Amino acid sequence: HYYITNNLRMRVKSCPGKCSKVILLLVNIVIFLVGGGLLGLGIYYHLDGGLYDNVFKLYDVITVPVVMMFLGSLFITISFFAIVGALCEVVIMLKIYMSIVAIVLVFEVILMAVCVAMRGAVEKKAVLVIHNLMGHYGDKDSDDLSIITKTIDETQVWLSCCGLGGAADWGNATLAAYWAGKYHTDASNIFPLPASCCTDREADSCQYDSSDEQTVHFTLGCTEAFDTFVEDNVTYITVGGIVMIVLQVFILISALKIRFELSSKYDCDDYVGGNDMEITSL
């Protein structure tokens, strides 16, 4: 009896090919782990409900858990094709991987262009979302994990701002429904502000003061403060976006290098030795 066996061996032998293979594997292993984390958190928060399903949502369908599960599944799928394709040297899987990455890359470029062209509309939508978040600030029922509260606090401390348009927003029942309903129950112009609005970092809270001379709390609204931050750092933001695109192009080139080397090796094997098939006898 005879058994026909394939002589299995690594077909990527050149130094650039091996380096491309290692880079592709390492990058996509990280992406795979990140995708798994996003998918797991998305499932957890979707089952848990509460904040993410009830506050962060668009058209009652697109919620944060849904977005997290989608991105997690996308990351896992993309990295799966790359890992298996590079590790097992399967050309078709590398082709699928490169196609998906190319589509994602084009989508990112289009998205960046749309955001720049429709900056005003994007800012208005972001302001509406933040309005919704401010209404749940400090509310343990809707913000049971204090994620909204901590996020707003960290933002106000980071940008040295208070409220969206100014400190008076925290006394507005329309913008800050829970906070104003709890601490600004009368018609007076005196009410406490969140500690993150106070210039004194050790203070637990401070009173709103409408005078121009006051130094107790920040007066600049976070919308204006963020616009200023973007304008001051537009170069760094642009460079960061370009670096991300270049990194993806580099990964795409690495996959392309492996794919071409494997394709040329297969062609050579088919022409010279019939895929290096050996006949062994028992």
Side-chain angles (χ1 to χ4, degrees):
H1 299 282
Y2 295 93
Y3 289 89
I4 300 176
T5 59
N6 280 321
N7 184 18
L8 299 176
R9 67 187 186 281
M10 181 183 289
R11 295 179 176 85
V12 177
K13 291 187 175 182
S14 69
C15 183
K18 290 180 180 179
C19 290
S20 298
K21 188 174 180 179
V22 170
I23 292 172
L24 195 64
L25 284 171
L26 291 177
V27 170
N28 282 280
I29 286 173
V30 173
I31 294 175
F32 185 88
L33 295 175
V34 171
L38 285 174
L39 180 59
L41 287 173
I43 294 173
Y44 170 78
Y45 287 128
H46 178 70
L47 295 176
D48 182 63
L51 167 70
Y52 289 109
D53 266 341
N54 298 324
V55 178
F56 294 101
K57 61 182 178 180
L58 180 63
Y59 305 124
D60 295 324
V61 176
I62 304 177
T63 63
V64 168
V66 171
V67 173
M68 292 174 73
M69 287 187 286
F70 172 76
L71 290 178
S73 301
L74 180 63
F75 287 176
I76 290 174
T77 302
I78 293 175
S79 57
F80 172 78
F81 281 108
I83 293 171
V84 176
L87 198 60
C88 300
E89 300 182 344
V90 182
V91 175
I92 186 63
M93 298 195 76
L94 289 174
K95 289 181 178 179
I96 295 174
Y97 169 74
M98 289 186 293
S99 300
I100 297 176
V101 172
I103 292 172
V104 171
L105 189 59
V106 171
F107 176 77
E108 288 177 353
V109 173
I110 293 175
L111 184 63
M112 290 175 62
V114 169
C115 287
V116 171
M118 302 179 63
R119 179 180 175 182
V122 172
E123 288 181 349
K124 288 181 180 179
K125 184 62 180 179
V127 169
L128 289 176
V129 172
I130 297 173
H131 277 174
N132 190 24
L133 297 182
M134 282 187 65
H136 298 273
Y137 180 91
D139 187 356
K140 293 295 184 180
D141 293 331
S142 60
D143 187 18
D144 54 334
L145 299 178
S146 298
I147 295 176
I148 291 178
T149 302
K150 290 177 181 177
T151 301
I152 292 178
D153 282 339
E154 290 175 2
T155 301
Q156 292 187 147
V157 170
W158 169 46
L159 295 174
S160 297
C161 59
C162 186
L164 277 175
D169 289 350
W170 289 107
N172 188 326
T174 302
L175 297 179
Y178 179 80
W179 185 271
K182 184 176 182 180
Y183 297 108
H184 191 201
T185 56
D186 52 30
S188 66
N189 204 28
I190 299 176
F191 53 89
L193 295 171
S196 54
C197 282
C198 306
T199 54
D200 182 5
R201 290 286 182 252
E202 303 299 325
D204 294 330
S205 182
C206 52
Q207 294 293 323
Y208 171 70
D209 189 340
S210 59
S211 64
D212 296 332
E213 295 78 16
Q214 70 83 27
T215 58
V216 177
H217 59 78
F218 302 122
T219 55
L220 185 66
C222 291
T223 302
E224 183 180 351
F226 184 74
D227 287 341
T228 303
F229 171 81
V230 171
E231 291 175 1
D232 293 342
N233 297 274
V234 65
T235 302
Y236 301 105
I237 296 173
T238 303
V239 170
I242 294 174
V243 168
M244 290 296 296
I245 293 176
V246 170
L247 179 61
Q248 292 178 71
V249 172
F250 178 73
I251 294 173
L252 195 59
I253 293 173
S254 298
L256 198 60
K257 168 62 181 173
I258 300 172
R259 181 256 180 188
F260 281 149
E261 190 162 332
L262 288 173
S263 296
S264 62
K265 183 63 182 175
Y266 289 144
D267 294 341
C268 182
D269 285 345
D270 292 340
Y271 178 76
V272 176
N275 288 322
D276 290 320
M277 297 179 69
E278 296 177 350
I279 299 178
T280 60
S281 174
L282 290 179

